[in-house]
Structures are given as C-alpha cells and as structure tokens.
Amino acid sequence: MDFKDQKTLLEPKSSDDDDRRRASSPMTRKGVYAAISYMTCAVLLIMFNKAALSSYKFPCANVITLFQMVCSSVLLYALRCRKIISFRVNNEIQITNNIPGIFVPLNTLLTTLPLAISYLLYMLVSMESVRGVSVPMYTTLRRTTVAFTMLVEYVLARQKYSRYIVGSVWIIIFGAFIAGARDLSFDAYAYAIVFSANICTAIYLASISRIGKSSGLNSFGLMWCNGLICTPILLLWTWVCGDLQVTANFSHLSSVGFQVVMLLSCVMAFFLNYAVFLNTTLNSALTQTICGNLKDLFTIGIGWILFGGLPFDLLNVAGQSLGFLGSCIYAFCKIRGL
C-alpha cells in the first residue's frame, strides 16, 4: 500500500458524507425529542409574540427579536462563565487563543459569519415578504421552503432523499396550494420576496449543520457566535429605523403584564433557538423545515382557540389536512429509515 492509499484510509469522512448518511438513516430517539421540543417551543413562542404584538399592540417586531437575542447572549455568557455549559463539541480540547470574554477564537467566529448573515437576511426578507401578499397566500408560498431546502442540501452536500421522503414533501406543497386556492392573486415582486425568504431560510438551516461540523462548536456555541455577530447589527438597524424611540414611548412598557409576556418570549426564544440548532444538527435541515410546517398546523389550531378570528373554509381545512398527512408520512419514513 503506497502513501496515497494510507492517507486516504486515515483521512476522516467529510461532512458531506455525514450529511448523506444522516439523511438516509432512521431518526434516533434523541432526534425525535429534539424535533418535538422544537415544535413545542415554537408554538409557545408564537403565542407569546402574538400576545405582545396583538393583545398589547406593540408595534416593533424587530425590538422583540433584539430583546430575545440580548437575553439569549446574556444567559449563554452567564452559563459559560459558571462552566455549566461548553461551546465546543469536545470539551476536552483546550483552546488557548480564545478572545478574552468571547470564549472562541477569532477564526472560529469568522467561520460562523455566513450563518449569521443568512440569519439576518432571512429575518429581514421575511418581514418584508409579509407586506405584499395576503396571509393565506403567504403561508402557501412559505411552505414551499421544503423544496428549496432539498435543493440547497443537494447543491451543498449532494444529499439525496428516498422517493417516500420526496413524495411526502410534494404532498405538503400540494396541500399548501389547496389551502391558499381561494387567494391566488399574483404579484411578481411580492412572490419574488417570499421566494427569496424561502431561499434564505433553506441556506440558513443547511448552514447550521455544516458550520457546526467545520467549526467544532456545539449548539450553544453556534447560538453564542450568532448572537455576537447579529446583535450589534440588529441594534443599529432598530436605532436607524426609529424602533428604539417608539419602544421608549410605548404606553404599556411599564405594564407588569406586558413585561411578563416579553420575559416569557425571551426565555422561550432561547430554548427555541437551541432546539433549532439541535434538531438541524441531529436530524437534517429538511427535517427542521418539515417540523416547521407541522408546527404551523398546531399554531393555527391553538391560535383559533385562544385568539379567534379565523373563518371556516373547507379548502383551507382540506389543504391543512394534506399538509398534516404529508408531515406524518415524512416522520414515519424518517423513524423507519425509509
């Protein structure tokens, strides 16, 4: 055996090989728990955000996101200082070139820059995408994110899925268009913005797993670096847009009820972000997207019970049922490894 053959045998498997193997392997028990935790946290967070934005009529969604990121970073910093958590996959590796107070080397922080940029683009484009289309059509177009996620994973990692998985995805997309069939008005600019949001979402989710492997960071470490990069940019953005001044003059700012809702929103956002990173890392970006679609169904049901305002529509019910069926088929295929 020559040196080249020995080197090939000794080289570790690439992240692309790991991604393809994870896509075809059955979901582990830990992966199931991560998916369920994400959906639970996501539904609760939407309820808290809904209460802040609708019940208290808080006008600045960007400020809520800023508060959530600041609270998440402060909590991570405190837990890391107390050595309750670690930011690296291998706790035994001692890094000597960490930036003081940052806990990660500069090159590692720069490695996570694409993840932070894709997150900011996803967040900003998503807010813009709501303006030009109705809620039913927005929901319909956003659910096509699963197709964009599959495409991005194939481009980045040549990751392929079985025909059962692909079939379940098409059932979800078909159900989404059935649900929005009564509002098929076309606006080229609005549609382009929504599809741009889908692409940013797919890139963001696909980047989590790949950057996590290349940087050596665990879910807490990825959240920490994401907060370090995104928080100053978002703070500047809210200041330029005047949202901070609006928040300072908000009539319910000193209300105990509003403060409790905001606190619960920030705490739940921390657990949600951790669940997103954990679910995407343990399972796949596509699984995370499917969980997002499944979460929407529970959100619609709970939101209708708590807040009302959702008229009955047979097509919408049929489309939502198809989406639920497709999500269940996907979950069954992942658990069985089909």
Side-chain angles (χ1 to χ4, degrees), residues 49-125:
N49 288 345
K50 176 69 174 177
L53 295 170
S54 297
S55 300
Y56 288 96
K57 293 181 171 52
F58 184 63
C60 305
N62 282 344
V63 175
I64 294 180
T65 305
L66 177 62
F67 285 163
Q68 291 170 349
M69 297 192 73
V70 170
C71 290
S72 177
S73 298
V74 170
L75 185 57
L76 286 170
Y77 182 82
L79 293 174
R80 179 61 181 81
C81 286
R82 302 279 300 197
K83 297 184 178 180
I84 298 175
I85 63 172
S86 172
F87 290 159
R88 304 196 68 85
V89 175
N90 191 344
N91 297 333
E92 298 178 356
I93 298 178
Q94 299 295 326
I95 305 298
T96 58
N97 59 338
N98 286 344
I99 305 174
I102 303 299
F103 304 116
V104 293
L106 178 60
N107 61 338
T108 301
L109 189 63
L110 294 177
T111 300
T112 63
L113 189 59
L115 180 65
I117 292 175
S118 62
Y119 173 77
L120 285 173
L121 287 175
Y122 150 70
M123 183 180 61
L124 296 175
V125 175

Side-chain angles (χ1 to χ4, degrees), residues 131-152:
R131 301 178 189 272
V133 294
S134 64
V135 173
M137 203 61 224
Y138 173 78
T139 305
T140 297
L141 296 177
R142 284 293 284 156
R143 287 192 181 175
T144 61
T145 303
V146 292
F148 287 95
T149 304
M150 293 181 68
L151 178 62
V152 169

Side-chain angles (χ1 to χ4, degrees), residues 172-221:
I172 294 172
I173 295 175
F174 179 68
F177 278 96
I178 291 295
R182 293 195 187 278
D183 185 17
L184 293 177
S185 56
F186 180 77
D187 184 328
Y189 173 76
Y191 276 42
I193 293 296
V194 175
F195 284 134
S196 297
N198 293 349
I199 294 173
C200 291
T201 304
I203 294 175
Y204 171 64
L205 294 176
S207 299
I208 290 176
S209 178
R210 297 176 62 81
I211 292 178
K213 287 183 175 64
S214 62
S215 64
L217 298 172
N218 58 18
S219 298
F220 288 122

